[in-house]
Amino acid sequence: MGIYEELGLTPVVNADARWTGLGGSLMAPAVLDAMRSAAEHYIDINALQRAAGARIAQLTNNEAAYVSANATAGIVISVLACITRGDELSIGRLPDAPHGRNEILVHSGHRIPFDPAIRLGCGRIVQFGNAYHTSELEMRAAFTERTAAVFYVAGSHVLGALSLEETSRIAHEHGVPVIVDAAAQLPPRNNLWHFTKNDGADLVIFSGGKDLGGPQASGLIVGSAELVRACQLVGPPSPHWPRALKTGKEEIAGLVRAVELYMERDEAAYLAGLDAVVDGWIERFSRMDGVTASRLVPNLDGQPTPRVLVTIDSAIVGAQASDLAASLASGRPSIRVGASGPDSLYLTPETLQPGQEKIIADQLAALIAAGRG
């Protein structure tokens, strides 16, 4: 019996997304082994951060890297790094910003539910442009002597902004760094260095607990050696403002191993496997009366991975898609699917273990047949 069963809980088959509320992602045995090995000894955490950062930077073709407690913690620490620039007197004065330089410029179209992390990082959000279109002139007009950084949200699902390359060029003309929230922007793997090497970003943040397959409570900051050093000075284990965002030795070690495995993965074969699952779902559900199934790319957060939209004609099936989703969630195993209103639901293959795609198809097909009956 596993820990969840001991606690009276039912493990979930996740066909929705790598949501934090569903446990992020699953870790490979080698990642768990690295975490277990790290847990068996004391270590100088600052030295571990430097060594882990050097290894990850080498693997990802970046100047430097830092392991945070998660991607949102990475935003907090990155903002603090840009405000303090590694000056220890400024770090000691937090949450007061040195010389009042705490404004973080954000495209209007890049306001997201996670941007309160900017304020946790002692930044004041200054919004420019609008959700549909932003001009270079509007961005230039937003800079003042109090501007500490530009915050940019990566992904094809985000609209109304200048390109990251344009944003970086304008910001650098003003002597201001660019922070990129790329929490869910893997795959493709080359995003680990594309945003810094090709688009000019100074700090880029990824979730460790999504496609990287690392610990859920881990995040990755990559970028300029100077600003990553500032992250190390202001971030845990230092006793300063973001001390509550502590990263354990186990998470640091686990993320190193996860990145190593990620760089070794055959990405083309992985994506082909996702396509095969989606093709199988579409073929099966398209044969059922009252059901249509179609491929959607990009995925929820703009990743170039497929998912399926299953639409139910309740007049034929005798049940709405929302009813079917509720029944799947309450079953054993508990199957979670993506919500898309009363008539449709999403199925995502990238969160599944081998064989679970058939379990999902069988359970959903059985519910559709029961509804018709």
Side-chain angles (χ1 to χ4, degrees):
M1 180 181 290
I3 183 63
Y4 297 135
E5 290 84 358
E6 291 176 13
L7 294 171
L9 302 173
T10 302
V12 167
V13 173
N14 180 11
D16 187 353
R18 288 192 174 96
W19 298 116
T20 295
L22 287 176
S25 62
L26 302 180
M27 291 182 283
V31 176
L32 295 171
D33 288 343
M35 297 180 73
R36 186 178 299 108
S37 176
E40 292 173 349
H41 305 279
Y42 292 102
I43 195 69
D44 181 320
I45 296 294
N46 281 314
L48 176 60
Q49 276 282 19
R50 289 192 295 271
R55 174 64 174 149
I56 293 173
Q58 177 190 39
L59 289 165
T60 63
N61 193 28
N62 281 287
E63 288 184 13
Y66 177 85
V67 180
S68 61
N70 50 54
T72 305
I75 295 173
V76 176
I77 292 169
S78 295
V79 168
L80 286 166
C82 291
I83 287 174
T84 64
R85 300 295 181 95
D87 178 70
E88 297 195 50
L89 288 178
S90 297
I91 292 171
R93 293 190 185 105
L94 293 171
D96 296 323
H99 316 299
R101 190 185 63 199
N102 68 336
E103 292 183 352
I104 309 298
L105 305 189
V106 184
H107 287 84
S108 292
H110 285 189
R111 297 302 306 275
I112 58 173
F114 306 105
D115 66 28
I118 294 171
R119 294 195 288 273
L120 285 175
C122 305
R124 187 174 79 83
I125 294 173
V126 176
Q127 190 170 306
F128 64 93
N130 63 67
Y132 299 98
H133 174 76
T134 299
S135 70
E136 183 172 319
L137 181 62
E138 287 173 309
M139 181 177 178
R140 290 184 180 280
F143 287 90
T144 72
E145 70 279 0
R146 295 181 298 278
T147 304
V150 177
F151 178 74
Y152 193 95
V153 180
S156 60
H157 62 305
V158 184
L159 305 174
L162 298 169
S163 71
L164 177 55
E165 187 175 9
E166 291 174 292
T167 299
S168 298
R169 173 177 55 81
I170 296 167
H172 293 163
E173 288 174 8
H174 289 81
V176 170
V178 176
I179 301 167
V180 176
D181 177 2
Q185 297 311 306
L186 295 171
R189 179 170 48 212
N190 65 10
N191 277 351
L192 286 166
W193 59 89
H194 177 82
F195 297 130
T196 52
K197 296 294 183 183
N198 298 93
D199 291 338
D202 300 277
L203 292 173
V204 182
I205 304 151
F206 297 94
S207 171
K210 289 187 169 63
D211 201 57
L212 280 175
Q216 184 180 6
S218 70
L220 176 60
I221 305 171
V222 299
S224 105
E226 178 186 358
L227 285 174
V228 169
R229 174 61 177 158
C231 291
Q232 293 168 341
L233 288 171
V234 76
S238 68
H240 300 298
W241 183 250
R243 171 74 174 189
L245 306 177
K246 186 187 299 184
T247 314
K249 59 188 184 295
E250 298 83 6
E251 284 74 29
I252 297 171
L255 188 61
V256 170
R257 183 69 78 244
V259 173
E260 290 173 344
L261 295 175
Y262 197 74
M263 298 307 294
E264 294 171 1
R265 186 172 79 179
D266 185 333
E267 187 167 84
Y270 167 72
L271 294 174
L274 300 183
D275 280 329
V277 172
V278 165
D279 288 343
W281 280 337
I282 291 174
E283 193 276 332
R284 180 163 185 181
F285 291 119
S286 294
R287 288 188 276 112
M288 304 184 74
D289 290 339
V291 181
T292 58
S294 56
R295 176 189 303 265
L296 296 181
V297 179
N299 213 310
L300 177 68
D301 290 317
Q303 310 98 318
T305 53
R307 58 178 173 163
V308 173
L309 178 68
V310 179
T311 302
I312 303 295
D313 185 336
S314 58
I316 296 175
V317 173
Q320 293 185 312
S322 55
D323 300 324
L324 300 177
S327 295
L328 289 169
S330 62
R332 284 185 176 271
S334 175
I335 297 172
R336 305 299 176 90
V337 299
S340 181
D343 299 322
S344 301
L345 56 85
Y346 296 112
L347 298 177
T348 299
E350 62 202 57
T351 49
L352 303 180
Q353 299 183 72
Q356 288 183 336
E357 72 280 1
K358 185 176 186 304
I359 294 172
I360 292 163
D362 289 346
Q363 292 285 80
L364 182 53
L367 288 171
I368 291 170
R372 284 202 301 266

